[in-house]
Amino acid sequence: MPAIQELFVRRMEEKDIPHACAIDIASSALPWSEHSLRFELNQNPAARLWVAEMADDMGEARVVGLLVLWIIVDEVHIANIAVHPDFRRRRIGQRLLAKGLLSASEEGARSVFLEVRRGNLAAQSLYRRFGFIETGIRPRYYRDNREDAVLMSLESLQPDLLHKWEQDTL
Ligand SMILES: CC(C)(COP(=O)(O)OP(=O)(O)OC[C@H]1O[C@@H](n2cnc3c(N)ncnc32)[C@H](O)[C@@H]1OP(=O)(O)O)[C@@H](O)C(=O)NCCC(=O)NCCS
C-alpha cells in the first residue's frame, strides 16, 4: 500500500462521481446516487465537494474518500463524508475534513454542524477530535431504520488547528 503522505485532497470533478458514489455505497445504508452528487456538483451553489486521492499499487490515482459540505452564509453543514472501507483509520477522513473546513473558513465560514447516527461511534469520534460537541437529538431521523440523529456542532472554526489536522499523517 502506498505511503499515506501521497494523499492529495482536491475538489471533486465530474470524472470522480462514479468512484465517489461507489465509496458511498460501500459506506452508507442510504448512499447518495450519482444523480445527487452530479446535482450538488453542478447545480447547488452552496455545495463544496472534495475527494481524497492516492496512488494505487500501479501508480494510478485512486479516489479513496469524499466530502460534501454546504456553506450557508457563515455556517457549514457537513452533508456527507466517507472513506473507502479498505483505507480507514489512516487519517484520510481527518485530512479530508480539515482541508474542506479550512477552505470554508477562508470563504468566511465560522461555525459547523452535522447530523450523525446515534450508533455511528467512529464518525462521532472523528468529529469530537475536531472539537464538535453534541447539541441535540433528532428522533427517528434516518428513514431506513428510524435511528436517531445526534446533532453536533463546532462553534468556531480554528484555521491553525485545521492546518495541523490537514497535514497530520500516520
Ligand atoms: C467516519 C469515517 C469517514 C472516518 O474516516 P477515517 O479515514 O477512517 O478516519 P481517520 O483515520 O481520519 O480517523 C481520525 C480519528 O477519528 C477517530 N476515529 C475514526 N474512526 C474511528 C473508529 N472506527 N473508532 C474510533 N475512533 C475512530 C479516531 O480518533 C481517529 O484517530 P486515530 O486513528 O489516531 O485514533 C469512516 O469511518 C467512514 O467512512 N465511515 C462510514 C461513513 C460515515 O459514517 N460517515 C459519517 C456520516 S455522519
Side-chain angles (χ1 to χ4, degrees), residues 23-24 26-28 64 66 78-85 87-96 114-117 120-130 142 168 170:
I23 293 167
D24 208 29
S27 301
S28 171
V64 292
L66 74 141
I78 301 177
N80 198 358
I81 180 168
V83 170
H84 190 288
F87 294 89
R88 290 190 187 152
R89 294 310 286 271
R90 301 185 70 195
R91 306 261 163 89
I92 295 174
Q94 178 182 299
R95 290 175 67 182
L96 189 52
L114 59 93
E115 292 97 12
V116 56
R117 286 177 193 262
N120 190 348
L121 302 181
Q124 289 170 31
S125 174
L126 172 67
Y127 300 136
R128 282 209 182 82
R129 197 176 173 102
F130 277 78
Y142 292 98
D168 187 25
L170 281 178

Side-chain angles (χ1 to χ4, degrees), residues 64-167:
V64 292
L66 74 141
L67 171 68
V68 181
L69 303 176
W70 291 319
I71 303 183
I72 299 118
V73 195
D74 62 352
E75 194 171 74
V76 186
H77 185 178
I78 301 177
N80 198 358
I81 180 168
V83 170
H84 190 288
D86 293 348
F87 294 89
R88 290 190 187 152
R89 294 310 286 271
R90 301 185 70 195
R91 306 261 163 89
I92 295 174
Q94 178 182 299
R95 290 175 67 182
L96 189 52
L97 189 56
K99 176 90 173 196
L101 292 181
L102 193 54
S103 174
S105 84
E106 284 161 4
E107 284 192 55
R110 296 174 58 83
S111 61
V112 192
F113 76 99
L114 59 93
E115 292 97 12
V116 56
R117 286 177 193 262
R118 195 192 274 278
N120 190 348
L121 302 181
Q124 289 170 31
S125 174
L126 172 67
Y127 300 136
R128 282 209 182 82
R129 197 176 173 102
F130 277 78
F132 283 80
I133 55 165
E134 187 178 322
T135 48
I137 298 288
R138 295 197 200 284
R140 299 175 297 285
Y141 180 79
Y142 292 98
R143 66 177 188 275
D144 60 327
N145 63 353
R146 315 305 294 160
E147 187 171 355
D148 294 347
V150 176
L151 190 59
M152 298 184 81
S153 66
L154 180 64
E155 275 305 305
S156 179
L157 283 167
Q158 294 181 47
D160 289 353
L161 204 56
L162 294 172
H163 270 300
K164 180 171 159 285
W165 292 133
E166 188 201 355
Q167 283 154 25

